[in-house]
Every structure is written in structure tokens, then in C-alpha cells.
């Protein structure tokens, strides 16, 4: 915690002083317009109904609720990944990566500090998006609070987990734009944010299952749309946690070599 | 005229180096649009396969036609958005000092922004364009009144796109926060232009906003000409509107360039807004 | 000839989108009349904020004057901006104004196209310029791999791509390594010999002294002096300094030195020998040497330091002392 708290505090100060409205508006717009698109399609094309075996594939007949939870989760994922995975490459660009590597602090607490701080702002942002959804008439049934909390924790671990190897890739490549957007676009297709992954061809579905966000989404939907008790969501929660931790461990292993590559490149440039 | 053509050649080289030099083009112009297209298709699939959906939108009766409809949207959006990206890059020239070097030259400013936009379009969009044509031919989803409509569709896509690019260049060149405009023109653009939904599904006010963007009408012509077998007679109204809109955009570009440079000459700041 | 008449430039108060933010107008140039003839290097000197860059940018068509006129060979810089742009170019210090993603050669080709340099000569001109700025070996390397100095040299080549009749140089050697700065000075001198009219601003006053036949000195946008560097220095009546060291003390010498009427400072050097430092508006070295020898003194060292242009500029820019 000796590293996590100061990092949290530093990022909090930076966020409060220079809040990046552009990023926020961008991800908020994506969330709102995704829900908006589903809403319009549902009413003017579907006539207020969803077909094509949606209920069977999705585990719920509530198309708008399904998309809304997915859009909120997508916004959460994108914002958290942007914060955590880009923390180190931002330090690299600002020239502070070397002083960070020089300090005896370990990587994990540093990234946890970044993650905890971003969690606070991200939750507020997601709430703004959900408020919009409720405003246009999306109804989310009263969720099971225990399952929801557990799913939220699992989703946080999942997103944090995938951010760490991503950070290693970014500082190794010295590039964030292609890496992050490729991940976002791929997750959009594979993880079931806006449609049931059962629609996908099998190989793609398995690929989606390898990402912890997919099981996190199932648990979140079980909690919000199905009012599922903790026991019912447990398999997904455990899968999500296990995958998230696996990504985290692999990521932490990769960070050391990645930092060396980054600093070497910085030195030769 | 020859001087303007030389500006086009110069900007062509610059855009080629900027865009082609990086691997970005393969991602942003092929991989991302294709994955996004698939995501959009699956997202609307539950409602397009809802009972009675085919009465409201006959096209959904055939999944192939739905996919072609969305693919045309993705194609046109990719073309138009590549110009937003390119204008965003152009705005960096103010910071890097090369905009001042450009303004030192006697080159026509209009030629510069037009050349910049059209070279970006050629450099960026050929990949997805080729992919789109190949996919359309392979799946047999092209439905043309006559082969000449291919040319009409191409012109209806390219001419407004270049006008749009020139307008954005002049807008972002003088703007303080180009990142904000960039964000504003990303997702909202596909939403109001009917890229992922037919226009009839949009509320009137969204449609009204959409008409201000050339992408909307461009896309209507593109879909009409390539997928629905319409001829120029049937599309005349849209084509005329598109021509008018392109002319307005070019007019606005001329005004912005003039006002922007005058402002810079008066205040010493290249930021107009 | 570039002629500016009663040039004034006032920057409007900064404005936000909706309201004036209460700032005041800034007057950067205030009634400046200059002539920049072809075939010579003209200097424009002043302290920071004196209005040098503003003046150069107005001549370069990047800024409009608030009042006053500027003509370049009879062409008005506001009305005939495009024609003027063909005849001039601007090189500013620093490594800006070139594209990192293009090679050196491509940068020059790009700007050559924008200047509409005749196709037949463009290729040869590019090779010539690359040679001139010492970049022939790096011609096909991307500028992003260039060092700072190389970028700046390329920027100088860019400024020459249209064979300008008039070249505006705003701190062109800022941050350049000494040998490269020396080469650049040689290039500027040669261009002037070939008939190009050059306007030069520089912090390195030795550079101005070396190159310029005529210098304008401005302070807070106003012309405070003009003339050749020698005339300017003489005109300030700044003291020449003469330093004298004797082999040994001689009272007669002290009397003789005192009789010269200059401000005298006496002391001892490291080896205990007597020293005299004289300050006088005139160069007293000859008279001093004669007087010392006549008084029987033995001179070990005699050094004369005339006032430099830098001293003169500093004296002119400083507010007049209250007496």
C-alpha cells in the first residue's frame, strides 16, 4: 500500500486539475449511442420485440436491458483499460518511466493505485450513461445486491488483469493507439457486450471465452437482469477471477523485460 | 492550374509518407471496420429477425442484403471518417510550425486543403474500397440498374468526401481543441448518418441533423445505386442535394480559409476558435 | 528594395469566444521605417520584445500591419501578397518548419512544388541546396532521424528553395554548432554578394558586426538608432578600455598617465607589477604608450579593447540614467 496510496493520490490530483473531457465525452457518446441504436432498432424495426432465438441465446428476453448492461460494461472496460494499460506508456512519453523504474517500488502496487483511482472516476461516468438509458425508458429490474457487488469486483479484477499485459505490449511497441483500439474492437465482437456470443462461429466464441470480460458480463447480467443469487453466478465469477488473475500474473512477468526494452529504445533514440 | 496540380502532387507525397509509412492503415482502414461491421450485424440481428420486422423493413428478409446494407454503411463511413482523421493530423501542423511554412508560400490555400483531403482519401480508403468491391462481387450482392451506376456511386462518394475533407481541414486548422471535434465527429457521425440503421428508424430531429452531413446523402445514393438497382432518374433529387451540399461545404471552406488567415495576420495567432 | 513606411502593429486584446478577457492591446511595432536594399545584409537589432520578429513576419506576409505600408520591389505586401511570397522567404531559428516523416530531399521537393519552382530546375536546385547546407549524405534519410542541427540546416535549405530575392533571417544560428554557424554566415555573405537582399536579426551581435553593412536598432517597437556597426559604436561614445602592465613601479609614469585625462584604475597583477586600466571615449593607446615611454616606464603588456556593438546596443536599450 506504500506505493498504491501515493499513486492514487497523485493521479487523483492530476485528474481533478486536468480532467480529460474529450476521452469522457468520447466513451460516453459510444455508450449512449449504442443504447440509442438498440432502442431505435428495437422499436422501429423489431416492433418492440426481439427474435432470432435471442432469449435462448442471451438467457433473457429483455433486449434493451441486455444491450444497456453491455454498453455500461463496455464503457467501464474501455475507461479502465485506458487508465491502467496506458499509465506506463504515458510515463514513458512524459519521460518519467525511467525514474519510476529506478524507484524501488514494485509494479503491482503502482498499478493498483492507478486502478483504484480510475475506478472512482469510471463509476461516476458509467452512472451518467445508465441515467441516460433510464431516461429514454430502459428498465433494469432491481438487481441482487450481493451478486452485483461480487460481479463488479470480478469485472474489476478481469479488466485490471488484461490491462497489465497490455501495458507491457504498449511500452515494448512504444505505441498505444493501434494496440488499444484493436483490443476494444475485438472485445466488442467477442465478449458479448451488445449481442449473445452464441451468435458467433464456435472458434470466435472460444476466443471470447479466453477473455475474462466475457464471463464477467454473464455474471453482471445475471445480477442485474435475472436477479440471480450468488450461487447461480458463482461458476462465471470464479472463471472470471481465475482468468483475470492469470492475465495479471503473466502481465507482471512481462513488465520487467518490457521496461528494459522501452528504456533501451529510449536511450538509443 | 498547373501550380494547383503541383500542390496536389506535393500533398500526395506527404500523405503517402504519413499514412503509408505506418501499419496503422491496415488496422484503421481494414481490420477495425470489418470487425465493427460484424459487431453491428450481430447487434441488430435480434431485432431484424423479430416477428413482423420484414414488414417494417423488407430488406431484412434476406440476411445477405442486410449485411450488404450495413457493409455499404461501413464503407462510406470509413471513407468519411478517414478525412476526419486526416484533418486532425493536419491540425498538428499548426503546432509543429509547418503550417506557417505553408502560409509563407504563394500556393493557393484552397488547393492545399483540397489536395490534403483527396490524398488522404486515396491513401486511406483504397484498401477498404477494394475489399468492399471484392466482397460485393463475391457475394453477388451488387444490384445495378446499369454499369454506369458504378461510376455514379463512386462520384457520389468521392466528391462530397473531398469537399468534407477540405472543410474539416480548414475548420481544424484554426481550432484550439481539435481532439474534441475529432471525438464529436466519430460516433455521432455514424449515428445521425444512418450508417447502421435505415433512415426511417431515426427520429425526425436526428434525420434533420444527419442531412447536414454529406455522408448521409452519399450513403443513400450509394445504397440506392449499388444495392437497390436505382438509376440516376430515381436518385436525381439526392444527387442534386449532394452537389449543393458539396458546393456549400467548399464555399464555407473558402470563407474559413480567408477569415482564418486574416485573423492570423491580424492577431498573430493561428487559433480562430 | 524592401521599404517600410511608418509601420505600426498593434495586437488586439486576447478574446475568449464570448467576451473580451479584459486584456489590453499590445503595440509591438511603432512607426518603423526601414529600407532593405538588394545585395546587402541589413541588421535588425534590439532586446527581446523589441518587435523584431513581428517586423519580419509582417514583411513575410504572415502578419498584416495595423497601419503603414511595406513594399517589396514596389509590390504591396498586403495587396500583392502572392507576388511578394514568390520573391521572399523566411528562415527562423530552431528546427521547425520541416516534416519529420519526409526525407530531407522530399521536404525540399514538397516546398519546391508549393513555390511552383520550374520543374526543369527543381531537381538540380535541391541537390545544390543539400550540398550547400552539408546534408548530401543525409538527403534520403527521414528527417525524424536527423539531429537538431541537421533539421535546422534543412530548414535553411527550405528557405532558399524559391531563390528568394529577399531573405528574412530571424535568429538563424540559434542553437547551431559553432562551425555550422560559421558556414551559414559565409553562405549569407555570398548570397548578398550575388544580389540577394538579406534582413538579419540575431542575438549574436558579433555575427551582425561581421555581416551587416547597415544596422537598425529598435527598442519597444521604435527605431532608436541606425548606421554601420562602426558608426553605431562610435556614436554611443562608450569607453575604449586600455590595460597596461609595467615591469616595475615608476612615480613619473603615474603622473604622465594621470595627465591624459582618462578615468584611471590602478592595481597590481599576480606578480606584484603595477597595472593601469584607462577608460576613455577615445582610443588612448598610442598616447599612453608614448607618455609611458617618455616617463621612463618599461611596458610589459598593453591591451586595447574598443567598445563592441553589443556594448553599444546595451547602452542604447538601457533607460537613460537619471542625473
Amino acid at each position: 500500500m506504500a506505493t498504491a496510496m501515493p499513486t492514487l493520490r497523485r493521479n487523483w490530483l492530476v485528474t481533478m486539475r486536468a480532467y480529460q473531457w474529450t476521452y469522457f465525452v468520447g466513451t460516453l457518446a459510444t455508450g449512449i449511442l449504442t443504447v440509442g441504436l438498440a432502442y431505435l432498432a428495437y422499436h422501429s424495426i423489431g416492433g418492440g420485440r426481439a427474435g432470432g432465438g435471442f432469449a435462448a441465446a442471451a438467457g433473457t428476453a429483455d433486449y434493451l436491458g441486455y444491450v444497456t448492461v453491455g454498453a455500461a460494461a463496455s464503457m467501464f472496460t474501455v475507461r479502465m483499460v485506458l487508465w491502467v494499460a496506458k499509465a506506463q506508456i504515458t510515463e514513458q512519453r512524459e519521460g518519467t518511466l525511467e525514474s519510476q523504474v529506478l524507484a524501488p517500488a514494485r509494479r503491482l502496487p503502482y498499478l493498483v493505485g492507478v486502478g483504484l483511482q480510475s475506478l472512482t472516476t469510471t463509476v461516476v461516468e458509467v452512472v451518467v450513461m445508465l441515467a441516460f438509458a433510464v431516461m429514454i425508458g430502459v428498465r433494469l429490474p432491481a438487481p441482487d445486491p450481493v451478486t452485483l457487488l461480487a460481479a463488479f469486483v470480478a469485472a474489476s479484477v478481469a479488466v485490471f488483469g488484461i490491462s497489465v499485459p497490455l501495458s507491457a505490449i504498449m511500452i515494448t511497441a512504444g505505441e498505444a493507439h493501434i494496440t488499444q483500439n484493436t483490443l476494444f474492437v475485438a472485445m466488442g465482437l467477442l465478449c458479448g457486450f451488445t449481442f449473445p456470443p452464441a451468435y458467433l462461429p464456435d472458434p470466435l466464441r472460444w476466443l471470447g471465452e479466453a477473455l475474462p470480460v466475457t464471463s464477467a458480463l454473464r455474471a453482471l447480467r445475471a445480477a442485474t437482469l435475472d436477479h440471480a443469487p450468488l450461487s447461480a453466478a458463482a461458476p462465471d465469477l470464479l472463471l472470471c477471477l481465475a482468468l483475470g488473475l492469470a492475465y495479471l500474473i503473466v502481465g507482471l512477468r512481462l513488465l520487467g523485460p518490457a521496461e528494459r526494452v522501452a528504456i533501451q529504445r529510449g536511450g538509443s533514440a | 492550374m498547373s501550380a494547383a496540380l503541383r500542390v496536389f502532387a506535393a500533398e500526395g507525397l506527404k500523405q503517402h509518407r504519413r499514412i503509408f509509412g505506418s501499419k496503422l492503415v491496415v488496422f484503421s482502414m481494414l481490420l477495425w471496420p470489418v470487425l465493427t461491421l460484424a459487431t453491428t450485424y450481430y447487434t441488430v440481428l435480434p431485432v431484424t429477425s423479430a416477428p413482423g420486422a420484414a414488414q417494417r423493413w423488407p430488406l431484412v428478409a434476406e440476411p445477405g442484403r442486410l449485411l450488404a446494407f450495413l457493409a455499404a454503411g461501413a464503407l462510406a463511413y470509413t471513407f468519411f471518417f478517414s478525412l476526419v482523421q486526416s484533418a486532425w493530423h493536419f491540425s498538428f501542423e499548426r503546432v509543429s510550425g509547418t503550417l506557417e511554412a505553408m502560409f509563407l508560400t504563394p500556393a493557393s490555400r484552397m488547393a492545399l486543403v483540397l489536395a490534403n483531403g483527396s490524398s488522404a482519401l486515396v491513401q486511406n480508403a483504397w484498401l477498404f474500397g477494394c475489399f468492399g468491391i471484392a466482397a460485393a462481387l463475391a457475394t453477388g450482392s451488387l444490384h445495378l440498374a446499369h454499369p454506369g451506376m458504378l461510376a455514379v456511386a463512386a462520384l457520389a462518394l468521392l466528391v462530397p468526401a473531398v469537399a468534407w475533407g477540405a472543410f474539416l481541414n480548414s475548420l481544424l486548422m484554426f481550432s484550439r481543441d481539435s481532439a474534441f471535434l475529432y471525438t464529436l465527429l466519430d460516433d455521432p457521425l455514424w449515428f445521425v448518418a444512418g450508417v447502421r440503421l435505415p433512415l426511417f428508424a431515426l427520429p425526425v430531429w436526428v434525420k434533420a441533423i444527419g442531412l447536414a452531413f454529406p455522408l448521409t446523402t452519399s450513403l443513400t445514393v450509394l445504397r440506392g445505386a449499388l444495392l437497390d438497382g436505382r438509376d440516376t432518374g430515381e436518385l436525381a433529387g439526392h444527387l442534386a442535394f449532394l452537389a449543393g451540399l458539396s458546393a456549400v461545404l467548399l464555399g464555407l471552406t473558402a470563407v474559413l480559409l480567408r477569415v482564418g488567415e486574416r485573423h492570423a495576420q491580424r492577431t498573430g495567432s493561428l487559433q480562430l476558435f | 528594395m524592401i521599404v517600410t513606411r511608418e509601420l505600426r502593429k498593434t495586437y488586439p486584446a486576447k478574446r475568449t469566444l464570448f467576451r473580451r478577457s479584459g486584456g489590453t492591446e499590445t503595440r509591438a511595432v511603432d512607426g518603423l521605417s526601414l529600407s532593405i536594399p538588394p545585395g546587402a545584409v541589413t541588421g535588425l537589432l534590439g532586446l527581446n520584445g523589441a518587435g523584431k520578429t513581428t517586423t519580419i513576419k509582417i514583411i513575410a506576409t504572415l502578419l498584416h500591419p495595423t497601419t503603414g505600408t511595406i513594399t517589396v520591389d514596389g509590390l504591396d505586401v498586403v495587396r500583392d501578397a502572392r507576388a511578394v511570397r514568390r520573391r521572399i522567404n523566411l528562415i527562423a531559428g530552431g528546427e521547425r518548419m520541416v516534416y519529420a516523416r519526409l526525407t530531407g530531399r522530399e521536404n525540399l521537393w514538397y516546398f519546391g512544388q508549393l513555390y511552383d519552382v520550374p520543374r526543369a530546375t527543381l531537381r538540380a536546385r535541391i541537390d545544390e541546396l543539400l550540398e550547400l547546407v552539408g546534408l548530401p549524405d543525409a538527403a534520403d534519410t527521414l528527417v525524424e532521424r536527423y539531429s537538431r542541427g541537421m533539421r535546422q540546416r534543412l530548414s535553411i535549405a527550405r528557405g532558399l528553395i524559391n531563390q528568394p530575392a529577399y531573405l528574412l533571417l530571424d535568429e538563424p544560428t540559434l542553437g547551431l554548432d559553432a562551425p555550422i554557424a560559421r558556414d551559414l554566415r559565409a553562405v549569407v555573405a555570398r548570397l548578398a554578394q550575388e544580389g540577394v537582399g538579406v534582413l538579419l536579426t540575431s542575438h549574436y551581435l558579433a555575427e551582425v558586426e561581421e555581416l551587416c553593412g547597415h544596422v537598425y536598432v529598435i527598442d519597444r517597437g521604435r527605431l532608436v538608432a541606425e548606421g554601420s556597426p562602426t558608426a553605431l559604436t562610435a556614436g554611443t561614445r562608450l569607453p575604449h578600455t586600455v590595460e597596461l602592465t609595467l615591469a616595475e613601479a615608476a612615480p613619473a609614469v603615474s603622473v604622465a598617465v594621470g595627465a591624459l585625462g582618462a578615468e584611471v584604475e590602478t592595481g597590481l597583477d599576480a606578480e606584484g607589477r603595477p597595472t593601469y586600466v584607462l577608460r576613455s571615449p577615445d582610443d588612448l593607446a598610442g598616447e599612453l604608450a608614448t607618455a609611458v615611454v617618455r616617463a621612463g616606464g618599461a611596458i610589459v603588456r598593453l591591451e586595447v579593447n574598443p567598445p563592441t556593438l553589443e556594448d553599444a546596443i546595451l547602452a542604447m536599450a538601457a533607460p537613460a540614467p537619471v542625473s
Side-chain angles (χ1 to χ4, degrees):
Chain A
M1 286 319 260
T3 306
M5 291 317 284
T7 309
L8 189 157
R9 194 180 136 69
R10 183 198 68 173
N11 278 19
W12 180 258
L13 288 175
V14 171
T15 311
M16 289 299 113
R17 278 181 201 148
Y19 186 75
Q20 290 180 312
W21 286 102
T22 303
Y23 273 135
F24 169 57
V25 171
T27 35
L28 183 69
T30 310
I32 287 180
L33 295 175
T34 305
V35 175
L37 173 90
Y39 182 88
L40 293 173
Y42 183 66
H43 287 289
S44 45
I45 300 167
R49 291 157 76 180
F54 174 77
T60 173
D62 180 1
Y63 174 72
L64 288 183
Y66 185 93
V67 173
T68 302
V69 173
S74 166
M75 196 174 159
F76 177 79
T77 309
V78 167
R79 287 293 277 171
M80 289 292 285
V81 168
L82 283 179
W83 275 105
V84 181
K86 282 180 87 172
Q88 285 193 296
I89 193 161
T90 307
E91 303 250 8
Q92 187 185 359
R93 283 174 185 165
E94 289 173 357
T96 47
L97 183 69
E98 287 194 31
S99 51
Q100 200 209 111
V101 172
L102 276 175
R106 300 180 70 95
R107 292 304 150 263
L108 182 60
Y110 162 79
L111 290 170
V112 168
V114 174
L116 284 175
Q117 191 276 325
S118 46
L119 208 55
T120 54
T121 39
T122 304
V123 166
V124 174
E125 290 161 2
V126 171
V127 167
V128 174
M129 202 282 285
L130 287 174
F132 167 81
V134 171
M135 217 174 65
I136 64 166
V138 176
R139 289 288 164 261
L140 298 170
D144 184 287
V146 180
T147 316
L148 181 60
L149 187 68
F152 175 71
V153 172
S156 303
V157 172
V159 173
F160 185 76
I162 54 172
S163 298
V164 179
L166 201 64
S167 177
I169 294 172
M170 283 179 180
I171 58 173
T172 308
E175 187 288 332
H177 187 71
I178 295 179
T179 315
Q180 85 199 24
N181 287 312
T182 304
L183 177 81
F184 295 154
V185 173
M187 286 201 307
L189 181 64
L190 300 174
C191 294
F193 286 112
T194 54
F195 63 90
Y199 284 2
L200 292 172
D202 282 343
L204 290 182
R205 225 181 53 203
W206 296 330
L207 211 57
E209 285 300 332
L211 291 163
V213 178
T214 310
S215 37
L217 263 167
R218 274 200 299 271
L220 279 169
R221 288 199 173 105
T224 48
L225 304 173
D226 268 4
H227 201 74
L230 193 57
S231 55
D236 281 325
L237 288 172
L238 290 174
L239 177 61
C240 170
L241 280 174
L243 279 172
L245 289 172
Y247 275 92
L248 178 62
I249 291 165
V250 172
L252 287 173
R253 290 246 156 170
L254 291 175
L255 271 187
E259 281 165 0
R260 283 193 288 279
V261 172
I263 287 172
Q264 208 165 11
R265 196 193 31 238
S268 69
Chain B
M1 194 57 211
S2 127
L5 286 178
R6 298 189 69 188
V7 172
F8 272 71
E11 280 294 322
L13 171 82
K14 196 172 89 189
Q15 294 284 28
H16 179 72
R17 284 288 186 220
R18 179 176 75 73
I19 299 165
F20 227 77
S22 73
K23 290 172 237 58
L24 183 67
V25 66
V26 179
F27 286 88
S28 69
M29 292 300 132
L30 188 60
L31 185 66
W32 299 343
V34 168
L35 292 182
T36 309
L37 171 63
T39 305
T40 308
Y41 174 75
Y42 286 122
T43 304
V44 297
L45 197 57
V47 292
T48 55
S49 53
Q55 273 121 56
R56 283 177 286 270
W57 191 20
L59 184 145
V60 301
E62 299 161 53
R65 285 187 68 202
L66 173 63
L67 194 58
F69 173 90
L70 294 174
L75 176 75
Y77 175 74
T78 304
F79 273 53
F80 276 79
F81 190 65
S82 76
L83 290 162
V84 178
Q85 281 180 313
S86 134
W88 189 52
H89 278 281
F90 197 46
S91 71
F92 290 142
E93 296 215 15
R94 188 184 64 224
V95 185
S96 66
T98 43
L99 187 60
E100 204 168 56
M102 241 185 235
F103 277 2
L104 264 179
T105 72
S108 146
R109 281 41 172 159
M110 187 58 141
L112 271 169
V113 291
L114 276 173
N116 184 282
S118 43
S119 348
L121 194 65
V122 173
Q123 294 293 335
N124 268 320
W126 66 272
L127 192 59
F128 196 57
C130 292
F131 176 78
I133 292 166
L137 290 175
T139 55
S141 36
L142 278 189
H143 184 44
L144 298 168
H146 54 82
M149 289 311 286
L150 263 178
V152 173
L155 281 177
L157 188 60
L158 295 178
V159 173
V162 168
W164 167 248
F167 171 70
L168 287 176
N169 275 338
S170 62
L171 190 68
L172 268 69
M173 189 194 284
F174 298 116
S175 120
R176 195 185 314 264
D177 191 355
S178 49
F180 195 78
L181 271 171
Y182 181 80
T183 306
L184 205 67
L185 288 172
D186 185 353
D187 286 309
L189 184 61
W190 66 249
F191 190 77
V192 300
V195 168
R196 299 177 192 177
L197 278 184
L199 287 173
F200 78 82
L202 300 176
V204 179
W205 62 273
V206 175
K207 268 189 270 195
I209 296 173
L211 277 182
F213 295 92
L215 169 59
T216 314
T217 313
S218 228
L219 193 47
T220 307
V221 173
L222 193 69
R223 283 170 174 155
L226 298 185
L227 307 176
D228 300 333
R230 293 182 200 227
D231 60 23
T232 34
E234 290 167 278
L235 294 169
H238 293 299
L239 287 169
F241 180 77
L242 208 48
L245 189 56
S246 305
V248 168
L249 282 172
L250 288 176
L252 284 174
T253 306
V255 170
L256 269 172
L257 286 172
R258 211 179 163 74
V259 172
E261 194 171 357
R262 276 287 151 80
H263 175 85
Q265 284 168 329
R266 203 165 57 81
T267 63
S269 159
L270 281 159
Q271 291 178 350
L272 185 56
F273 10 69
Chain C
M1 178 94 100
I2 299 180
V3 180
T4 84
R5 291 236 178 287
E6 287 296 307
L7 193 61
R8 281 196 173 73
K9 176 68 188 173
T10 312
Y11 291 110
K14 281 226 168 71
R15 250 177 358 146
T16 58
L17 196 53
F18 301 108
R19 61 191 170 88
R20 276 181 187 277
S21 60
T24 48
E25 294 187 332
T26 328
R27 176 158 291 184
V29 178
D30 196 0
L32 217 48
S33 298
L34 318 170
S35 303
I36 299 136
V41 184
T42 305
L44 184 60
L45 296 182
L47 294 186
N48 276 327
K52 294 175 302 207
T53 300
T54 300
T55 307
I56 282 204
K57 284 192 171 178
I58 293 174
I59 299 172
T61 74
L62 292 174
L63 288 173
H64 277 175
T66 310
T67 61
T69 57
I70 309 114
T71 54
V72 176
D73 290 343
L75 296 161
D76 185 276
V77 294
V78 177
R79 266 200 325 273
D80 314 308
R82 280 184 84 167
V84 168
R85 284 174 191 137
R86 288 197 184 93
R87 306 189 64 79
I88 56 160
N89 213 327
L90 162 67
I91 298 170
E95 71 266 44
R96 290 153 60 91
M97 289 190 159
V98 285
Y99 290 99
R101 285 279 182 87
L102 302 185
T103 67
R105 189 188 300 281
E106 286 168 345
N107 262 292
L108 296 181
W109 180 80
Y110 174 84
F111 284 105
Q113 293 283 100
L114 261 52
Y115 276 101
D116 203 12
V117 175
R119 280 192 184 84
T121 54
L122 183 56
R123 191 180 291 260
R125 170 101 45 93
I126 291 171
D127 285 332
E128 216 173 275
L129 287 175
L130 286 166
E131 189 73 44
L132 182 77
V133 295
L135 290 173
D137 297 334
D140 299 308
T141 306
L142 289 182
V143 169
E144 59 190 10
R145 305 219 183 96
Y146 278 21
S147 70
R148 220 177 240 210
M150 288 163 84
R151 282 182 197 214
Q152 200 170 339
R153 276 141 68 196
L154 180 63
S155 184
I156 290 161
R158 180 204 59 73
L160 296 171
I161 190 74
N162 60 328
Q163 279 189 321
Y166 296 94
L167 189 57
L168 310 167
L169 300 172
D170 192 6
E171 302 284 351
T173 53
L174 196 70
L176 278 186
D177 291 339
I180 297 159
R182 192 191 52 213
D183 291 351
L184 176 66
R185 285 197 291 275
V187 169
V188 171
R190 212 180 68 207
L191 285 169
Q193 273 170 16
E194 287 166 8
V196 175
V198 181
L199 181 64
L200 170 74
T201 79
S202 176
H203 269 87
Y204 305 114
L205 293 170
E207 189 167 285
V208 175
E209 235 168 339
E210 179 188 328
L211 290 171
C212 299
H214 194 85
V215 175
Y216 291 96
V217 183
I218 59 175
D219 185 29
R220 275 154 284 187
R222 289 201 188 121
L223 189 66
V224 290
E226 64 171 297
S228 69
T230 339
L232 280 174
T233 320
T236 54
R237 303 289 292 157
L238 282 170
H240 291 241
T241 310
V242 185
E243 291 178 26
L244 171 77
T245 308
L246 293 185
E248 56 191 342
V253 171
S254 293
V255 176
V257 170
L260 290 173
E263 183 194 328
V264 185
E265 222 175 86
T266 56
L268 296 174
D269 73 357
E271 287 151 46
R273 296 177 299 207
T275 61
Y276 297 84
V277 179
L278 279 80
R279 288 196 186 81
S280 155
D282 305 306
D283 182 359
L284 290 179
E287 285 173 61
L288 176 68
T290 316
V292 170
V293 172
R294 276 198 189 139
I299 299 174
V300 178
R301 193 177 73 98
L302 181 73
E303 195 179 312
V304 187
N305 294 307
T308 61
L309 186 58
E310 182 159 1
D311 300 325
I313 298 301
L314 284 172
M316 279 186 256
V322 183
S323 55

